[in-house]
Amino acid sequence: MIHADIATKIIAPETSIWVVFPGRGRRYINTFLGQQRIFLETPGIAITPKLVSDFPTIRRHVRMSNAIAEYYLHSESKKFPSRNPKSYQEGPIKNASLRVLASSVRKMFGRMKVGDLVIVPGRMFAPVYFGEVTAPFAASDTLEVQRYGHETIPFRRVRWLNEGVPRTSIPQRLQEFLSKPPAIARVARDPETEEFFRFAFPAYVLADKSAVMMDGPKYDGKNPLATVEANYLVAYFIAAFHAIEIEKLEEFVALDVESAIAKYYEPNLVQSFTQNFNSPGKYGLTAFSAVLGAFVSVGIAVAIYGLTPAQVHSGIEVTNSVSPVDDPIHGDAGIKLDHLFKSLHKKEIEEINRLGKRAKKQIGLKPPVKINVDGK
């Protein structure tokens, strides 16, 4: 049997997108990345999960933290400020910077949830980093930075999802969200801003849409025909999915690859198909189906693997290691793929294997899918 892990992130409707700046001048970017933590510049603040919903108390703590910060930065010869939050006013804050900081504290420690996407812009021409919140805020989650001696600063735990995305790869319309402080801002989700998920996850499902990014790092830009086999594979498995949906699989598998595409490819299933062969090269498919992205990427992964007809006919089990609990997608994709593979004839299996072998040789085509056959 074939075992395929689609490694696909299922993005919930309530998942938020946050842009977090790593301090003024991005001075804490290395701490963010090295320690898998994000934080605000709030030395000495002492908050708990319960306190963050009490805005008057947050105002007291922010005023106290500001006084402590000022002591370290400008007033070391003066008396150390009070560490008792009740020594500070709880009323509205007139200073604009402090008012924004108080709001930022509530956002990071009260509203940011496990699973939310965190985007951290580097300096102007540096990469942009994408992470995921991994744990609820706990009062014990504190760190120290040299700038403020041994003062504790609360943080949120994150997992970085990649090594950074070149800023030039991000559309200009989205870059506008990466250049405007405050220290933390929630990005309203809409079809445009949800494109941020594409830079965070190689494969994801969003409501009734799916997207998958496939690597093609070997393309050197010298041969315009080098991508032909990869394009045929993408189109073939989209056509196969459509044939299954309209209950025409028996007719589909009787055709060669080119004829099957000509008859059953359905462009209305595809929102976009992109090829970006800068370094590293990428194929991107966004589909108007929650299942199609996984279906296509597993199909291509099997073609690249080069299985025998007997192995292809042995059946397939699809799992999802990235979102194992809340994923209904892998089951549906697995049923459709199993139906397809058990129906393919020897000739068609050999044809898609040739396309897979050629695509791997020409451009290094690699979907974000892990294939294991009979435990090997």
Side-chain angles (χ1 to χ4, degrees):
M1 176 173 279
I2 307 165
H3 302 274
D5 176 8
I6 60 175
T8 297
K9 178 68 177 178
I10 309 300
I11 299 171
E14 63 271 18
T15 298
S16 296
I17 302 171
W18 301 92
V19 176
V20 180
F21 288 86
R24 190 179 298 276
R26 317 297 203 267
R27 58 177 161 239
Y28 297 119
I29 185 69
N30 292 333
T31 305
F32 272 34
L33 300 177
Q35 300 186 25
Q36 301 202 90
R37 300 168 179 179
I38 56 172
F39 54 89
L40 302 169
E41 219 159 335
T42 52
I45 199 169
I47 56 173
T48 66
K50 186 176 180 179
L51 282 181
V52 293
S53 61
D54 183 348
F55 208 23
T57 300
I58 289 298
R59 293 190 192 110
R60 290 181 186 271
H61 280 261
V62 166
R63 285 181 167 113
M64 178 182 70
S65 177
N66 181 66
I68 292 172
E70 287 294 313
Y71 172 83
Y72 277 97
L73 299 179
H74 306 297
S75 311
E76 291 185 358
S77 61
K78 297 181 180 179
K79 183 181 177 181
F80 195 88
S82 171
R83 288 188 181 277
N84 183 356
K86 293 184 178 180
S87 301
Y88 300 87
Q89 295 181 359
E90 65 174 23
I93 300 174
K94 295 181 180 180
N95 180 281
S97 295
L98 279 189
R99 191 164 60 245
V100 171
L101 181 59
S103 177
S104 296
V105 169
R106 291 189 73 191
K107 291 174 182 176
M108 181 172 287
F109 301 103
R111 297 175 182 170
M112 184 179 280
K113 309 177 301 301
V114 173
D116 282 356
L117 181 67
V118 174
I119 305 170
V120 175
R123 293 180 176 86
M124 185 173 295
F125 299 108
V128 177
Y129 300 93
F130 291 79
E132 184 177 34
V133 180
T134 59
F137 171 60
S140 58
D141 287 341
T142 61
L143 53 74
E144 299 175 1
V145 297
Q146 185 176 3
R147 186 179 180 85
Y148 299 110
H150 294 290
E151 300 297 331
T152 58
I153 297 175
F155 66 81
R156 293 301 303 268
R157 298 180 184 273
V158 298
R159 174 177 66 93
W160 300 113
L161 300 168
N162 50 44
E163 295 181 355
V165 174
R167 188 179 285 260
T168 53
S169 297
I170 298 174
Q172 190 62 44
R173 64 185 184 279
L174 295 180
Q175 289 198 35
E176 295 177 4
F177 296 99
L178 309 179
S179 57
K180 298 178 181 178
I184 177 173
R186 180 156 54 183
V187 178
R189 277 180 56 173
D190 59 37
E192 183 174 89
T193 59
E194 285 175 347
E195 193 173 352
F196 275 127
F197 292 119
R198 176 167 66 87
F199 300 100
F201 303 105
Y204 66 88
V205 171
L206 186 66
D208 58 349
K209 294 182 182 180
S210 59
V212 60
M213 297 295 293
M214 294 174 276
D215 291 334
K218 291 173 65 176
Y219 182 63
D220 59 10
K222 297 179 181 179
N223 181 1
L225 299 179
T227 62
V228 168
E229 291 83 5
N231 291 335
Y232 266 108
L233 285 171
V234 173
Y236 180 76
F237 286 105
I238 292 173
F241 182 88
H242 178 58
I244 294 171
E245 290 281 277
I246 62 174
E247 299 183 357
K248 294 289 184 180
L249 182 59
E250 186 175 350
E251 293 86 344
F252 176 86
V253 298
L255 301 172
D256 61 41
V257 168
E258 190 169 350
S259 300
I261 293 170
K263 188 167 184 178
Y264 290 103
Y265 182 81
E266 177 48 74
N268 290 328
L269 287 171
V270 178
Q271 177 177 330
S272 66
F273 176 62
T274 59
Q275 300 179 46
N276 181 355
F277 290 112
N278 296 325
S279 180
K282 295 283 185 183
Y283 268 93
L285 170 65
T286 304
F288 290 116
S289 162
V291 181
L292 183 55
F295 183 93
V296 171
S297 59
V298 172
I300 292 174
V302 169
I304 292 171
Y305 203 94
L307 301 175
T308 66
Q311 289 172 319
V312 171
H313 291 153
S314 67
I316 185 166
E317 177 187 51
V318 176
T319 58
N320 187 0
S321 61
V322 173
S323 298
V325 176
D326 52 356
D327 172 25
I329 304 304
H330 70 271
D332 194 2
I335 291 171
K336 286 182 167 64
L337 286 160
D338 191 69
H339 194 20
L340 171 64
F341 289 153
K342 287 180 177 178
S343 302
L344 285 172
H345 303 139
K346 180 175 181 290
K347 182 180 177 181
E348 283 67 49
I349 293 171
E350 291 174 345
E351 187 176 4
I352 64 173
N353 282 350
R354 285 194 296 271
L355 290 171
K357 182 178 180 180
R358 184 71 175 164
K360 183 178 180 180
K361 180 180 179 181
Q362 290 284 79
I363 64 171
L365 185 65
K366 184 180 180 182
V369 173
K370 297 177 182 178
I371 296 291
N372 181 282
V373 182
D374 299 327
K376 297 179 181 178

